[in-house]
Amino acid sequence: MDAVDTHVIVVGAGPVGLMLAGELRLGGAEVIVLETRDAPTTESRASTLHARTMELLDQRGLLDGLGAPPREPMGHFGGVPLSLDLPSPHPGQWKVPQIRTEELLGTWATGLGADLRRGHEVTGLAQHPYHVTVEARGPGGPVRLTARYVVGCDGERSAVRRLAGFEFPGHDAERELIRADVDGVEIPNRRFQRLPGGLAIAARRGDGVTRVMVHEFGRAARERSAEPEFAEIAEAWRNVTGEDITGGTPLWVNAFGDASRHAGRYRDRRVLLAGDAAHQQMPIGGQALNLGLQDAVNLGWKLAATALGRAAPGLLDSYHRERHEVGRRVLGNISAQARLLLGGPEVEALRSVFGELIGYERVRAHLAGMISGLDIRYEADPDAHPLTGARLPYAEPGTAGGLGAALGPLRAGRGVLLVFPGPDAAALAGAARSRAGSVDTVTVPAVPEGGEPAGVPALLVRPDGYVAWAGGDPAGLTAALDRWFRADGADASAGSAGDPAGKAGRPAAAPTTTPPTTPTTRTPQRVDRSAPMGNLTGKTALVTGASRGMGRATAERLAREGALVAVHYSTGADAAAEVVAGIEKDGGRAFAVRAELGVPGDVHELFLALEQGLKERTGSTELNILVNNAGVMGGVKPEDTTPEQFDRLFAVNAKAPFFIIQRALANIPDGGRIVNISSGLTKFANPDEIAYAMSKGAVEMLALHYAKLLGPRNITINSVAPGITRNDNPLFDIPEAVEAMSGLSAFNRVGEPRDVADIIAFLASDDARWITGSFVDATGGTLLG
Ligand code: NAP
Ligand code: 2V4
């Protein structure tokens, strides 16, 4: 993270931005929150938290901070009364002023380490391949920040959405409600009262302030550049109710219409949207805030895991898939409600039929599930267990067994595997061991009657509390884990290091859990003090084809400089083991990784072993230096070259380095080094090696083009082109051949592997920081002609 300022910039410190910031911190990501306002809002636009939001806050241990908010079981659908009671520890709707929610989430997120910067108005945003730049007007002048990702939580008029070019299709308001908080008026409470001239709502709060809302039937929404005057509300109120409220003192005045807009996508590369920035809707029944908070909880763990390189490929894209669909449904129900609520006499018949339908329990429960967010089910295979995609069947925190046991890990924002007693319990628990960095395993010793979903041996729960998998087949569990998190190779018993989540409180009385290993952004490397102190001390390196030749010499040289070296090989297991043993004998650190390159799945196999080896030794999967050295030679005349030989040369020499770099960039931090081994034959003609030289020509393109892409991260990438260099080829045992080959070099000898390794080691060092995109001639003057 040397050159970027943070993993994620969240724009907007409303409840959604703050919730997201806290979730990102729990996931281990570093966060800067930029907020235009100098101070927290004093407006309480939204005042309802629904059952699912309450459950989510409970999962994070945040409910205590709300005190004991009043509960209102009765809600409405477009003004038609509706009980919201459903099975949940927090059924119904809970009245919490937005300022209170914001204060709670702000304290939580900043307590976890989110860096909240007020007085910053975002003015510019630019996406780059590996980072995003954000410009803002700050209190001290212009500010420019960089991050891996940016999330717009900056509301309906989102600057992030506009600057990043997201489309926001929909329609403007056709009708509106105008509302005010008024002190010093004595008027009767009215609950969605439909009068001949319009709709009137009045609710007196405990502090004596009355919130009034009014809509005159048939009156079109106005174009507004500012909030309405109190006089306009007082006049509408009088027109509809006949009451005079002009003597009251307006504390807050606001208009909201039935405008409806929905971003077509919630993600464009490194920029994401959440909350009202992604969806604008009439705030009927407090759904808007709840929708936004749930966006944040869905996104936080996925984005943190992605920014830290722990996510399975595609995990972040599931945010759009899951939340856009939920948003589409909520916008649909709000649009239906707006018509029922603000329609004049023409909707009376519809309302009366609707009222009858709500009398049926299944209809009521269906609508209540929709409004409270309890009915959300995320994507699941059709043949998956019915619990998959649903929220964790809820249990009270602290219950001795069963589902309550999941709450401990969830409180720290981690995934959890609940394993119930049964014959496969050990195998199921073992399957999650490779994800100990992201998922805690809780083996429930005994389940009280009714304490778990009957017949489910294990449940995998995502950090946002939704069931990712349920069943009893360890292979199915492994497949489900593969969809969410990359294997971290960590031993499940490894301890935690640096612990932002710890501040959120650990489970008090969880049954036998594997100790949680909380991910951190900067896992301290365990530097072996007995290792030689060179210019690469504390760095990690992968050298492909290091069992022999120049690869071996490079591995040995990098290890001498203090790097921990992954010695890659394919067929030469004994040779690689010998290289590792030699390095260790000299006081260095190395481990061997096997993978045949140029075959399907090669890169996956390589990185599985590499990451496991790195994680075991350093606690992290960070890779500082990549040397793409493995290669196959040709030695066939062009007229004899078969398509299969040609494909093989390209697969090993060009395709594998391309995809190794693609994959390695998730592990290479800023300031990293990439060296690709080419050949002098891209400049020196040898007709016997045309196809080979073509493959080396291809590999040289990596340095040219990637150098530009990776410059902003201070990662250098260069090609090193050896000339004829001694290796195991029997040619080097023939003195006449060696003499002939020597004559090609200005030094009148063939190259030795160490001649080239020293050049590679230089390019890997800090001294070479100013060289990138370069072709380095390592032919001993062969190209001089
Ligand atoms: P080498 O002694 O022939 O050793 C090749 C290394 O690459 C071995 O470690 C081998 O692993 C590995 N390797 C080969 N094919 C592989 C595959 N399909 N999958 C995984 N690993 C594979 O190599 P070298 O002569 O030092 O050459 C190193 C690099 O320099 C090559 O890219 C070569 O093209 C280039 N180069 C060589 C010369 C030269 O004259 N020697 C000149 C210019 C450029 P296992 O043995 O374990 O299978
Ligand atoms: O001519 C090379 C050369 C060669 C060969 O000799 C045949 C071999 C050993 O089978 C493959 C090979 C690979 C090479 O990369 C080179 C090479 O780099 C080279 C040669 C001649 C003159 C300059 C060179 O850089």
Side-chain angles (χ1 to χ4, degrees):
M1 291 233 315
D2 303 349
V4 280
D5 298 298
T6 188
H7 286 120
V8 183
I9 294 174
V10 172
V11 180
V16 176
L18 293 170
M19 183 94 224
L20 178 62
E23 293 288 307
L24 286 164
R25 287 301 299 136
L26 283 185
E30 300 207 345
V31 193
I32 294 175
V33 184
L34 298 180
E35 167 58 49
T36 311
R37 289 182 315 232
D38 294 325
T41 180
T42 50
E43 282 182 13
S44 268
R45 286 170 172 263
S47 56
T48 301
L49 296 180
H50 284 292
R52 182 57 188 149
T53 307
M54 292 292 280
E55 290 181 356
L56 292 174
L57 296 176
D58 190 3
Q59 257 174 220
R60 297 295 188 246
L62 287 166
L63 275 192
D64 285 352
L66 286 183
R71 186 178 94 89
E72 175 54 78
M74 281 306 285
H76 69 95
F77 191 91
V80 181
L82 168 80
S83 163
L84 292 173
D85 257 343
L86 284 174
S88 163
H90 312 289
Q93 48 187 340
W94 301 77
K95 294 296 166 190
V96 183
Q98 183 174 328
I99 39 174
R100 185 70 208 98
T101 309
E102 225 174 276
E103 190 187 346
L104 172 78
L105 295 174
T107 308
W108 176 63
T110 52
L112 287 171
D115 178 358
L116 171 56
R117 301 186 188 180
R118 293 195 171 277
H120 284 75
E121 184 189 355
V122 171
T123 54
L125 184 150
Q127 294 220 41
H128 306 281
Y130 293 99
H131 71 281
V132 190
T133 312
V134 172
E135 283 165 10
R137 255 193 302 272
V143 178
R144 193 169 172 279
L145 290 167
T146 53
R148 296 262 181 269
Y149 292 91
V150 171
V151 189
C153 299
D154 48 346
E156 278 172 23
R157 297 196 186 92
S158 169
V160 170
R161 191 183 62 223
R162 175 173 42 83
L163 293 166
F166 282 87
E167 306 251 310
F168 200 42
H171 64 79
D172 289 334
E174 288 152 10
R175 283 166 286 208
E176 66 181 353
L177 270 165
I178 44 182
R179 58 182 174 174
D181 284 348
V182 192
D183 199 7
V185 286
E186 290 285 339
I187 52 172
N189 276 347
R190 299 171 190 273
R191 223 183 124 70
F192 293 103
Q193 194 169 40
R194 290 173 68 83
L195 296 159
L199 173 75
I201 300 142
R204 194 178 168 86
R205 299 198 309 233
D207 59 2
V209 174
T210 303
R211 175 162 290 186
V212 294
M213 292 196 235
V214 61
H215 167 72
E216 289 183 80
F217 291 144
R219 183 159 166 170
R222 297 199 186 165
E223 283 227 0
R224 297 183 185 277
S225 54
E227 300 296 11
E229 295 290 324
F230 178 55
E232 183 187 337
I233 297 179
E235 186 193 334
W237 190 259
R238 189 200 321 267
N239 292 344
V240 172
T241 67
E243 290 164 8
D244 181 6
I245 57 168
T246 52
T249 308
L251 304 179
W252 174 69
V253 183
N254 167 258
F256 65 98
D258 59 356
S260 179
R261 298 186 175 279
H262 199 191
R265 47 200 175 133
Y266 284 13
R267 175 187 180 193
D268 174 16
R269 290 163 290 159
R270 292 182 172 270
V271 180
L272 300 107
L273 302 175
D276 289 354
H279 37 73
Q280 180 185 359
Q281 58 284 303
M282 198 170 190
I284 293 181
Q287 285 186 91
L289 172 62
N290 288 270
L291 185 60
L293 289 172
Q294 290 168 39
D295 285 345
V297 177
N298 184 288
L299 176 59
W301 63 280
K302 295 175 182 175
L303 186 55
T306 305
L308 294 169
R310 287 187 287 108
L315 176 63
L316 190 54
D317 288 326
S318 72
Y319 167 63
H320 165 86
R321 276 202 310 281
E322 295 184 344
R323 293 308 297 174
H324 189 272
E325 175 55 20
V326 172
R328 190 192 62 74
R329 252 187 118 224
V330 172
L331 259 60
N333 94 50
I334 287 179
S335 169
Q337 292 198 61
R339 274 176 176 67
L340 284 174
L341 189 68
L342 302 182
E346 74 278 6
V347 297
E348 281 309 331
L350 187 58
R351 291 176 61 86
S352 119
V353 172
F354 215 87
E356 282 175 31
L357 287 175
I358 283 180
Y360 291 95
E361 173 53 19
R362 283 188 62 183
V363 176
R364 180 206 70 79
H366 178 83
L367 294 175
M370 207 179 222
I371 292 169
S372 61
L374 292 175
D375 72 346
I376 291 169
R377 281 207 59 174
Y378 292 135
E379 57 194 9
D381 290 340
D383 53 354
H385 188 283
L387 284 173
T388 315
R391 78 199 216 280
L392 174 72
Y394 217 81
E396 289 296 332
T399 45
L403 303 173
L407 283 166
L410 287 176
R411 214 142 265 193
R414 297 170 55 76
V416 53
L417 174 68
L418 285 179
V419 181
F420 300 105
D424 292 326
L428 288 162
R433 212 159 278 146
S434 64
R435 306 304 198 285
S438 311
V439 176
D440 289 344
T441 300
V442 179
T443 307
V444 180
V447 182
E449 189 85 0
E452 49 131 333
V456 183
L459 274 177
L460 177 65
V461 185
R462 312 177 345 176
D464 60 359
Y466 286 85
V467 175
W469 175 86
D473 172 19
L477 170 59
T478 302
L481 284 162
D482 284 345
R483 278 200 289 279
W484 300 107
F485 296 109
R486 286 207 337 235
D488 49 34
D491 185 322
S493 65
S496 61
D499 180 10
K503 295 178 196 159
R506 284 268 182 243
T512 56
T513 63
T514 50
T517 50
T518 305
T520 58
T521 48
R522 288 176 183 146
T523 313
Q525 297 224 336
R526 272 183 260 141
V527 178
D528 181 352
R529 295 288 161 206
S530 66
M533 295 296 284
N535 67 31
L536 298 178
T537 299
K539 305 280 187 204
T540 57
L542 165 66
V543 182
T544 66
S547 53
R548 297 185 275 132
M550 287 178 261
R552 172 183 185 151
T554 304
E556 290 168 348
R557 174 69 208 271
L558 297 180
R560 265 204 309 282
E561 292 299 335
L564 165 64
V565 183
V567 174
H568 161 259
Y569 69 97
S570 172
T571 56
D574 291 345
E578 207 176 285
V579 176
V580 171
I583 288 173
E584 287 175 342
K585 190 164 147 275
D586 291 344
R589 297 199 306 153
F591 60 97
V593 288
R594 200 205 82 85
E596 180 182 356
L597 300 177
V599 294
D602 52 358
V603 178
H604 181 70
E605 186 189 357
L606 173 63
F607 276 78
L608 217 58
L610 173 70
E611 291 193 333
Q612 179 166 345
L614 290 174
K615 185 94 191 192
E616 280 168 3
R617 289 163 181 83
T618 68
S620 134
T621 55
E622 193 169 275
L623 179 70
N624 303 102
I625 300 159
L626 165 65
V627 182
N628 276 310
N629 164 79
V632 279
M633 324 275 175
V636 259
K637 295 182 185 348
E639 58 271 28
D640 298 330
T641 305
T642 64
E644 290 72 25
Q645 286 170 328
F646 185 95
D647 286 348
R648 175 84 179 144
L649 284 166
F650 270 75
V652 179
N653 295 356
K655 187 177 177 184
F658 176 87
F659 285 103
I660 289 174
I661 292 173
Q662 182 193 68
R663 175 64 180 75
L665 283 172
N667 303 58
I668 299 180
D670 294 350
R673 297 279 184 269
I674 302 173
V675 180
N676 301 313
I677 306 308
S678 176
S679 158
L681 290 185
T682 60
K683 306 259 191 292
F684 183 100
N686 178 348
D688 284 352
E689 296 287 349
I690 295 183
Y692 167 76
M694 284 174 71
S695 72
K696 292 297 188 182
V699 92
E700 282 179 15
M701 290 303 100
L702 289 168
L704 175 65
H705 299 279
Y706 257 125
K708 194 138 190 157
L709 197 62
L710 301 177
R713 292 173 61 187
N714 284 323
I715 297 173
T716 69
I717 175 165
N718 294 290
S719 307
V720 168
I724 293 180
T725 312
R726 192 183 303 277
N727 61 15
D728 294 347
N729 191 323
L731 212 59
F732 291 97
D733 297 331
I734 307 168
E736 296 77 12
V738 172
E739 195 182 333
M741 293 187 285
S742 300
L744 297 174
S745 155
F747 301 117
N748 197 28
R749 66 171 174 88
V750 296
E752 297 298 329
R754 285 184 65 165
D755 293 327
V756 180
D758 289 349
I759 295 167
I760 297 169
F762 164 67
L763 288 172
S765 74
D766 184 56
D767 287 349
R769 64 191 168 278
W770 202 236
I771 305 175
T772 194
S774 237
F775 169 90
V776 178
D777 177 341
T779 68
T782 302
L783 304 182
L784 300 173

